[in-house]
Amino acid sequence: YLQSAQARRVAFEADSTLYSAFESLKSKLPDAELVPARKVVEELRTVKEPAEIDCIRRAAAIMDQALAAVLPTVEIGVTEREMALELERATRLAGADAMAFGTICAFGPSAAFPHAVPGQRKLTAGDMIKIDCGAKLDGYCSDITRTVPPLEPDERFVEVYSAVYDAQQAAVEAARPGITG
């Protein structure tokens, strides 16, 4: 298209364009001035159109639907990898084009790592479950993180959970436009 339009000046994303892609572009547009640009696409995409917002909402709804289908079926002994696979399957069955990124399911001590990789760790009765997942739909993605309580929570868990929940509720109630951190 750029050749047929006889483009004289073409911007390229300087921070993510490989040199080989730059060379290819230059060879296809020998008379065009190639201008490095930074964050142009990101800035254009910062503000979403209503149709884009709707697509993101639908991607989030698909992910919620998949979580609602999988979480009640989780049993002691399932591995992180098995749970991630089931969640991905449920997400695709719910209508997603793909996963937005690699699904994280982490149990017990692994749940403390933000970017844990699902492995062969098996779920035990007192384990917290961390899930970080997203659905891709029509080029837009959702990103949902959930912390799921142990299947058999002990007294200490209930105490800590209650303290965190109360703090979160206080933060939500205090949040309003213009407030600083």
Side-chain angles (χ1 to χ4, degrees):
Y1 174 78
L2 293 173
Q3 290 169 326
S4 65
Q6 297 179 341
R8 296 281 178 232
R9 194 163 191 234
V10 176
F12 67 92
E13 179 53 59
D15 292 332
S16 61
T17 302
L18 296 174
Y19 186 70
S20 59
F22 172 83
E23 284 182 317
S24 175
L25 190 59
K26 185 66 178 160
S27 71
K28 291 176 183 170
L29 302 168
D31 298 326
E33 175 189 6
L34 297 181
V35 181
R38 289 187 162 74
K39 310 276 185 215
V40 173
V41 173
E42 289 88 345
E43 289 175 15
L44 289 172
R45 296 196 52 154
T46 299
V47 177
K48 302 291 185 228
E49 298 292 326
E52 293 175 300
I53 293 168
D54 180 61
C55 194
I56 294 167
R57 282 190 176 123
R58 288 186 294 128
I62 286 171
M63 202 66 254
D64 282 338
Q65 181 181 341
L67 284 163
V70 170
L71 286 175
T73 69
V74 173
E75 295 180 348
I76 300 298
V78 68
T79 68
E80 295 166 332
R81 187 172 291 157
E82 290 167 339
M83 186 173 172
L85 181 61
E86 286 305 310
L87 191 53
E88 291 175 23
R89 181 178 185 280
T91 303
R92 293 298 298 268
L93 288 173
D97 298 329
M99 298 306 289
F101 50 88
T103 298
I104 297 171
C105 289
F107 306 153
S110 296
F113 296 101
H115 300 286
V117 176
Q120 294 303 323
R121 179 182 295 278
K122 291 184 178 186
L123 182 65
T124 63
D127 286 346
M128 291 287 293
I129 302 170
K130 181 184 66 192
I131 302 167
D132 190 356
C133 54
K136 183 180 248 183
L137 181 67
D138 297 333
Y140 291 87
C141 300
S142 62
D143 185 347
I144 295 174
T145 302
R146 296 286 185 265
T147 303
V148 181
L151 297 178
E152 299 173 16
D154 61 17
E155 192 174 308
R156 175 73 177 140
F157 169 82
V158 173
E159 179 184 320
V160 171
Y161 177 86
S162 297
V164 171
Y165 180 83
D166 291 345
Q168 181 185 34
Q169 289 305 113
V172 168
E173 290 171 16
R176 62 185 178 283
I179 195 167
T180 64

